[in-house]
Amino acid sequence: MRVVIAGGHGKIGLRLARLLGEREEHAIALVRSAEQEADVVALGAHPVVFDLEASSAQDLSTILQDADAVVFAAGAGPGSSAARKDTVDRGAAVLLAQACELAGVRRYVMVSSMGADSGAAGLPDGADEVFAAYLDAKKAADDDLRTRDLDWTILRPGALTMASGTGHVKLAATTGRGEIPREDVAAVLLALLDEPRTAGLTLELIGGDTPIADAVAAALP
């Protein structure tokens, strides 16, 4: 596969790049600055400096030429403002979808968030405004992707941790709340890329007892 990772220097993006590199797949990691390139190269991926907040879908579509799939794993990150939640977590995800349409890339795997279907409306009164903006951005990005004629899969992990991956998860339309190591999220993303029949599914993901390959197979319609 030739996979373009938006958010290629993020904690999930780097782990996915490593997994693809171990299989000698061609991963292209979109990064924010030249200082991040060496980390990506060390994992066997090809870095491309690209500003998802200030560039056009047409510009991005040139990078997507000949790609088999894209993964949206970008995020404004901790400490960012509500405005950047919108420009990255929503705007960049939409930009990537637009670029896919222009480049003829059908497969799009989105890293979303639990609670995205309700957005901020699902939060209790007095909830943090920035987190509310984040959920609204994720909801808008998911809603936009579902309207497009693309082979999309939306993955909604639980609370992300830096623990070592276990290779065992719970993956379903609804899982309930829970934690999930980022390593396992990356491994599930790879398994979703390997299984085209997951297109059109929105899946939640937390730690569990089922091997990842079996969990993906069980989630198929």
Side-chain angles (χ1 to χ4, degrees):
M1 282 187 293
R2 180 180 172 91
V3 181
V4 177
I5 306 170
H9 196 262
K11 293 182 176 66
I12 292 174
L14 285 171
R15 285 162 174 77
L16 178 58
R18 176 178 57 79
L19 293 175
L20 287 164
E22 289 172 352
R23 295 197 335 188
E24 298 186 354
E25 308 272 13
H26 190 169
I28 297 172
L30 304 183
V31 299
R32 289 175 177 166
S33 68
E35 288 74 19
Q36 298 173 334
E37 292 180 324
D39 294 335
V40 171
V41 171
L43 298 173
H46 177 70
V48 175
V49 177
F50 189 86
D51 189 341
L52 288 165
E53 295 176 87
S55 302
S56 70
Q58 185 65 55
D59 291 338
L60 183 53
S61 71
T62 63
I63 299 171
L64 302 189
Q65 294 297 324
D66 301 322
D68 297 300
V70 302
V71 175
F72 185 82
S80 57
S81 66
R84 290 204 67 228
K85 301 299 185 191
D86 182 69
T87 57
V88 179
D89 293 279
R90 180 201 61 80
V94 171
L95 184 80
L96 183 60
Q98 293 169 337
C100 282
E101 292 175 334
L102 290 172
V105 178
R106 294 200 54 82
R107 191 73 171 111
Y108 187 129
V109 179
M110 171 86 85
V111 179
S112 182
S113 173
M114 282 195 179
D117 269 342
S118 300
L123 295 174
D125 291 342
D128 179 76
E129 292 182 2
V130 175
F131 184 64
Y134 168 76
L135 281 184
D136 276 345
K138 284 298 190 184
K139 172 177 171 53
D142 290 358
D143 289 348
D144 175 85
L145 185 58
R146 286 169 170 155
T147 69
R148 297 182 184 273
D149 182 23
L150 296 172
D151 297 328
W152 53 263
T153 304
I154 296 171
L155 182 66
R156 292 176 168 170
L160 299 170
T161 76
M162 295 298 289
S164 297
T166 67
H168 292 73
V169 300
K170 183 176 182 180
L171 179 72
T174 304
T175 61
R177 297 283 177 172
E179 295 184 340
I180 182 76
R182 287 175 172 85
E183 282 189 2
D184 283 334
V185 175
V188 169
L189 289 171
L190 185 61
L192 294 174
L193 289 169
D194 284 341
E195 179 47 87
R197 291 177 294 173
T198 57
L201 299 181
T202 300
L203 300 168
E204 294 184 352
L205 174 67
I206 58 174
D209 300 322
T210 305
I212 287 171
D214 294 341
V216 170
L220 295 175

